[in-house]
Amino acid sequence: MSGRGAGYGVALRIARRDALRSKGRTILVLCMIGLPVMAIVALSVLFKTGEWSARESLPYDLGRADARFTGVARSPVTQNPADTTFGGAGMDEAPKPWSTEEMTRQVRAKYGPDAKVLPYVVGKAAGIRTERGLLQVEVTEVDLRDPLTAGLAMLRKGRLPATADEVALPSKFQERGFRLGSTAVVEATGANKRVVGFVADPLTAERPLAVALPGAFPEQTGGRHPGASATNSQWLVGTGGKPVTWADVQAFNKLGITVLSRAVVNDPPSADQIPTSSRSETAVDNATVAIAAMIVAMVVLEVVLLAGPAFAVGVRRQRRQLALVAASGGDARHLRTVVLAGGIVIGGAAALIGAVAGIGLAAAAGPVYEAYSDTTLGPFEIPWVLITVPMVLGAVSGLAAAYVPARQAARMDVVAALGGRRDQARSRRGWPIAGGALIAGGIVLCLVGVRLWREFGAAIGAVAIIIGCVMIGPWVVGVAGRTASRLPLPMRLAVRDGARNRGRAAPAVAAIMAAVAGITALAIGGASDFAQNRDEYRARLPMGTTIIQANAYEGDQNALAERMRQAVAREMPGVPAIPLRSLPGQDRICMGQGPGKCPFATFGKGYRGPEPITIDHLVGGPREARFLLGRDDPAVTAALTAGKIVLFHVKPPAGGTVPVAVKEYAEDREKVIRSFGRLPAIAVPDATGVRTLVPPAVATRIGLPMENVALGIDRADHRVTEDEESRVQERLDGITADLNSASIYVERGFTESFSQILLFLGLAGTLMVLGGSLIATGLSAADSRPDLATLAAVGARPRTRRLLMMGQAGFIAILGCWLGILAGLAPGIAVARPLTAPTQGGASADFSGGSINTTDHGTIVAIPWELLGAIGIVVPLIAMLAAGLFTRSRLPMVRRTAA
């Protein structure tokens, strides 16, 4: 090793031979470093493949056309090269639509008389009638038989439309009874279209794409459908091979026409040629980048903590070889280089193997993902820059994992190594103090910094806590070893072995701790957010009760309600439905204008809180009260029988009476038309979705017209199933006109679940704990063969070795799990504060004097003790059983060395 370069070459050769000689340990380290690299590379490739660039999507945006023209205005506009953003001074005005003749003249004036202009309209929404009701489609009007359109849609079955009376429906409509040759009735016009084919969007399989010839679906000027308003007309243009340049695009922009050009997308202009107002800018959230960087840092830390003991064991097995190098004239630098070379060799190999495996995994997972998600990925693309980052991280992780063992090798006692004796484990006295300070600072940062930086402050505090726990890990292992005297023999040996070999046990404990701490923080934050959603949920009706509502924004409300009743009776024959009549309230939607056109009734200060209101003032008696309350209430029944008004979710009115009046809005202020003084009333604290239940006699006295607004199905009569709800809604869609609506609502309570997320977190924690404990146990088994041979020599039974390995796995798992739970409590509680704290000036500030406030819950902190208990108790037991299952009882004969 005379020269620096020669020394490195020898070190790399030694590292390569040692890696090949110790195949089991090498494979273990390769997996620990390579698996994260593989996962990151696979996700990077899938992410990049899933992104459709403007160039990749050209076949689906343009077909074989040279450009797509869109008439957006009649005044100058600006756009970006991909035609995704545009603007102009005249964009707010409704322009006169461009016609195909005008566009053809403009195109042929530029590209000659042979230029082809094909009308192309997308985004029209229409309803297709079914035997039960309606199904919604998005219509693209274009002649797909033209060669310019190749690639715009995929024909799954049948043929393409050839006349205006033909249509190709979405492929999924075959499951709803449509067949080739059947008739599709368009809701808005009643026109009959013959189904000649079934198509699918090549980019979004779940999109309900229908295709027809231009003009087959006339433009609707109003209605409830998203495509009912006027749509910008588009045209596919074939120039006969002449490129549509960026200069041409800007020339058409001056006319109010935007252009998606194949030539411009393939060869985009420089940034200084693009108008500033049209440049696409991607905002990067600094907090998101910082959190992502911390996640990467934690992954590297996890790998180093798990792989470090493997290198430490390798150094221990190389001690004699390293001692011979020192005896031959090698200094501390040479010994350190030999060990670091092992990290470079194994880390580099793991990074390369992980990258190749990740690319292969992404290639295999792409089609599976498309099949199960109905999402079309783009062309397979390997982002070499993104792949380089995890490869470098993998190599650096191997080098970092070998750093501490390399320093230990440089300080080893050469005479003791040549004599086969082990060095005594030494711990840094200052590390526990520094680690404790970091933990304390992290807790303060979590609880205080979260108020300044919200989740970002909690993330920084969590990292400080975890690093502090890593620093005190060896000390904790040593302290735990002092309790070994009270344990049974196998556990006593296991605990003492871990305390004596802290360089192997402490990193495994720290790795488990870091993983469990992250899972604990996520579980507390998620459980708190879930608890807030559950507490803030407000039922509209009693559990199991159903209401079917109809709103006529044009036409007769009572006639629409009758059609709704018939639709419900057809789907649920024999089910009793209660007609619900209502007096107009101040929240009514009134289409009339002028004095006396929109009067409404008021009953004092009704409830004005966040609970959803279905009907303002319901007219009825005891039957309607039972429907609203879900039970028979004698007090409410007696009050209604006596002609008293029932107020819901408010405090009892003063004197048992409430002021009643008929008002209207005049110049944005309430104006009293007539007053009835104070009428008898009672209050019920229940939130029923109705402000007031008015006896029929009182409603008649008020004199306002009552309308049938809904049907109610009492839960005592029938509980509507999800299938019945779906079928009724389809029928309701079929009876409403463009400006009317009808819907069914079944109260099923708070139906969200957090169990799947908890199960996922529990599985992740189990895998991490099992991995860390079994890795440490495997390394211990390889490192402690001389000790086990000594046990066998003094008469220990064969199963003692199995029990010893189980004890070592349990010791490491228990310490790591409970340290992780303690380390994750503060960040989890800190994250829960910004997630669940009520907003200032929110709904709770809008209550009127008589309302009942039910929203001021304060900050919610929910700790999932079941999950944490399972991780702290059940998972270590699983680790112990797994260690015992994979451990042989009998040990191969080895040479015992003198200690």
Side-chain angles (χ1 to χ4, degrees):
M1 293 188 180
S2 58
R4 184 180 294 271
Y8 291 154
V10 172
L12 291 173
R13 287 197 299 272
I14 294 175
R16 180 177 61 83
R17 290 172 181 173
D18 182 67
L20 294 176
R21 186 181 303 113
S22 304
K23 294 182 176 63
R25 180 175 58 85
T26 302
I27 293 174
L28 186 66
V29 179
L30 285 174
C31 291
M32 285 187 291
I33 298 176
L35 286 177
V37 173
M38 180 187 70
I40 296 174
V41 168
L43 291 175
S44 299
V45 173
L46 286 175
F47 176 77
K48 191 64 177 179
T49 301
E51 282 188 335
W52 286 88
S53 65
R55 183 175 302 177
E56 291 171 345
S57 60
L58 279 178
Y60 311 104
D61 291 332
L62 297 181
R64 295 180 181 174
D66 296 299
R68 184 189 68 202
F69 284 49
T70 306
V72 297
R74 292 282 180 168
S75 57
V77 296
T78 58
Q79 69 165 88
N80 66 343
D83 194 21
T84 56
T85 60
F86 55 87
M91 291 298 298
D92 294 334
E93 302 175 1
K96 176 184 175 183
W98 285 80
S99 66
T100 300
E101 292 75 14
E102 290 177 306
M103 191 63 64
T104 301
R105 285 198 300 270
Q106 294 292 339
V107 170
R108 289 181 175 173
K110 183 70 175 179
Y111 302 106
D114 294 333
K116 187 174 184 179
V117 179
L118 189 68
Y120 178 50
V121 180
V122 297
K124 281 188 177 181
I128 302 297
R129 290 192 175 273
T130 65
E131 294 181 356
R132 181 174 288 116
L134 281 180
L135 291 173
Q136 300 296 327
V137 296
E138 296 180 20
V139 182
T140 292
E141 293 184 343
V142 67
D143 189 355
L144 288 180
R145 299 170 300 167
D146 194 291
L148 282 182
T149 66
L152 296 181
M154 294 187 296
L155 180 65
R156 298 294 194 187
K157 189 176 182 181
R159 62 175 178 83
L160 298 171
T163 67
D165 295 329
E166 296 178 343
V167 66
L169 294 179
S171 296
K172 292 185 178 181
F173 277 28
Q174 298 178 81
E175 303 171 1
R176 307 304 293 268
F178 287 97
R179 298 290 181 267
L180 294 177
S182 60
T183 300
V185 182
V186 182
E187 175 203 15
T189 61
N192 294 329
K193 304 292 182 182
R194 184 168 178 263
V195 180
V196 296
F198 294 96
V199 295
D201 189 316
L203 294 183
T204 311
E206 67 271 15
R207 177 187 170 200
L209 172 66
V211 176
L213 293 183
F217 285 74
E219 193 76 55
Q220 302 298 308
T221 58
R224 68 173 185 269
H225 303 303
S229 59
T231 305
N232 287 330
S233 299
Q234 297 180 335
W235 292 266
L236 298 177
V237 174
T239 61
K242 300 178 182 178
V244 180
T245 65
W246 180 241
D248 296 343
V249 171
Q250 291 181 311
F252 283 109
N253 288 166
K254 294 179 180 179
L255 301 176
I257 300 170
T258 63
V259 182
L260 174 62
S261 167
R262 187 182 301 274
V264 171
V265 171
N266 288 329
D267 185 17
S270 58
D272 58 350
Q273 294 180 291
I274 302 173
T276 305
S277 59
S278 299
R279 294 177 184 175
S280 300
E281 297 182 359
T282 303
V284 179
D285 187 357
N286 292 331
T288 301
V289 173
I291 292 174
M294 284 189 288
I295 291 174
V296 172
M298 294 305 296
V299 171
V300 174
L301 177 63
E302 193 81 11
V303 171
V304 170
L305 290 173
L306 289 175
F311 283 105
V313 171
V315 169
R316 185 166 295 171
R317 299 181 68 178
Q318 285 182 292
R319 291 180 76 245
R320 184 175 179 80
Q321 182 182 16
L322 293 172
L324 291 175
V325 172
S328 300
D331 56 16
R333 178 175 60 83
H334 293 127
L335 300 182
R336 190 165 53 245
T337 301
V338 170
V339 179
L340 289 176
I344 295 174
V345 169
I346 298 180
L352 181 60
I353 295 173
V356 174
I359 295 173
L361 178 62
V368 177
Y369 176 76
E370 288 181 325
Y372 283 93
S373 65
D374 287 336
T375 301
T376 304
L377 299 178
F380 189 76
E381 187 174 355
I382 301 176
W384 295 109
V385 176
L386 292 178
I387 288 178
T388 303
V389 175
M391 290 182 66
V392 172
L393 286 176
V396 170
S397 298
L399 187 62
Y403 176 73
V404 174
R407 295 194 61 184
Q408 293 175 350
R411 295 196 302 264
M412 74 176 181
D413 187 341
V414 177
V415 176
L418 291 174
R421 299 189 301 273
R422 297 182 179 180
D423 293 334
Q424 294 296 322
R426 293 177 298 175
S427 58
R428 295 178 179 270
R429 294 184 178 180
W431 277 37
I433 299 175
L438 269 177
I439 293 173
I443 293 174
V444 173
L445 189 58
C446 282
L447 300 179
V448 177
V450 73
R451 299 180 180 178
L452 301 176
W453 306 300
R454 296 180 67 81
E455 293 88 344
F456 191 48
I460 298 176
V463 171
I465 292 174
I466 291 173
I467 294 176
C469 288
V470 171
M471 295 177 68
I472 69 171
W475 175 77
V476 173
V477 172
V479 171
R482 299 173 188 172
T483 65
S485 59
R486 300 179 182 180
L487 299 175
L489 176 63
M491 284 295 297
R492 184 161 67 248
L493 293 175
V495 172
R496 286 178 174 173
D497 179 76
R500 187 173 64 251
N501 298 282
R502 300 178 194 178
R504 178 189 354 110
V509 169
I512 294 173
M513 177 274 303
V516 173
I519 290 173
T520 300
L522 290 175
I524 294 175
S528 301
D529 190 42
F530 174 79
Q532 180 192 26
N533 294 336
R534 182 182 57 206
D535 291 350
E536 292 183 351
Y537 177 81
R538 297 292 178 263
R540 295 172 56 183
L541 298 167
M543 190 67 61
T545 300
T546 301
I547 188 170
I548 303 102
Q549 288 184 276
N551 294 311
Y553 302 112
E554 65 176 14
D556 183 68
Q557 172 68 37
N558 292 325
L560 178 60
E562 174 60 23
R563 293 198 300 273
M564 175 184 67
R565 186 194 64 77
Q566 296 173 1
V568 172
R570 292 185 63 181
E571 284 302 324
M572 294 186 296
V575 175
I578 306 171
L580 302 178
R581 298 180 300 164
S582 173
L583 283 174
Q586 64 185 96
D587 293 335
R588 68 182 295 191
I589 298 176
C590 182
M591 307 302 292
Q593 296 181 357
K597 295 294 184 180
C598 296
F600 57 88
T602 61
F603 298 85
K605 293 183 178 181
Y607 181 72
R608 292 291 168 184
E611 281 76 11
I613 298 299
T614 303
I615 300 173
D616 273 339
H617 310 305
L618 180 64
V619 178
R623 187 185 183 191
E624 286 76 10
R626 187 183 66 182
F627 165 78
L628 294 177
L629 296 173
R631 66 182 187 277
D632 288 317
D633 190 318
V636 173
T637 300
L640 291 171
T641 303
K644 294 183 179 180
I645 301 165
V646 179
L647 309 175
F648 293 102
H649 210 26
V650 295
K651 300 174 183 178
T657 60
V658 64
V660 180
V662 174
K663 302 179 181 179
E664 67 174 354
Y665 279 106
E667 298 180 354
D668 295 331
R669 299 180 63 183
E670 292 184 2
K671 175 184 177 182
V672 178
I673 299 178
R674 55 183 180 272
S675 174
F676 299 93
R678 301 186 68 91
L679 300 182
I682 67 168
V684 178
D686 302 63
T688 62
V690 172
R691 299 188 197 278
T692 311
L693 180 56
V694 184
V698 176
T700 302
R701 180 182 174 187
I702 291 174
L704 293 179
M706 292 176 280
E707 293 182 334
N708 293 316
V709 295
L711 294 174
I713 299 177
D714 197 316
R715 63 182 182 180
D717 298 327
H718 180 75
R719 289 182 180 255
V720 177
T721 65
E722 292 184 1
D723 179 64
E724 289 174 331
E725 180 183 4
S726 170
R727 291 189 283 109
V728 169
Q729 186 61 60
E730 189 173 335
R731 284 200 180 275
L732 295 177
D733 287 341
I735 67 170
T736 52
D738 282 345
L739 290 178
N740 299 330
S741 65
S743 62
I744 178 173
Y745 175 79
V746 182
E747 183 58 65
R748 295 191 173 92
F750 184 73
T751 57
E752 296 180 18
S753 174
F754 194 61
S755 58
Q756 292 183 349
I757 298 177
L758 287 179
L759 178 61
F760 173 78
L761 291 175
L763 290 176
T766 302
L767 291 176
M768 293 301 299
V769 174
L770 282 176
S773 59
L774 293 181
I775 287 170
T777 304
L779 293 174
S780 173
D783 191 32
S784 59
R785 282 192 174 187
D787 298 334
L788 296 173
T790 301
L791 284 175
V794 298
R797 290 175 295 179
R799 68 176 183 178
T800 302
R801 179 173 185 265
R802 187 187 300 271
L803 294 174
L804 176 60
M805 294 297 103
M806 293 176 64
Q808 289 176 337
F811 173 66
I812 292 171
I814 291 172
L815 272 184
C817 286
W818 284 106
L819 276 177
I821 291 173
L822 294 176
L825 284 176
I829 294 173
V831 167
R833 296 179 65 90
L835 284 177
T836 63
T839 57
Q840 296 181 354
S844 60
D846 297 331
F847 294 103
S848 55
S851 296
I852 297 176
N853 188 340
T854 58
T855 61
D856 189 13
H857 54 67
T859 300
I860 296 176
V861 177
I863 300 178
W865 294 113
E866 298 85 356
L867 173 66
L868 301 185
I871 292 177
I873 299 173
V874 178
V875 175
L877 292 176
I878 296 175
M880 294 176 67
L881 293 175
L885 182 64
F886 292 104
T887 300
R888 293 182 298 175
S889 296
R890 296 190 178 274
L891 181 71
M893 294 301 295
V894 297
R895 179 174 64 87
R896 289 180 286 119
T897 59

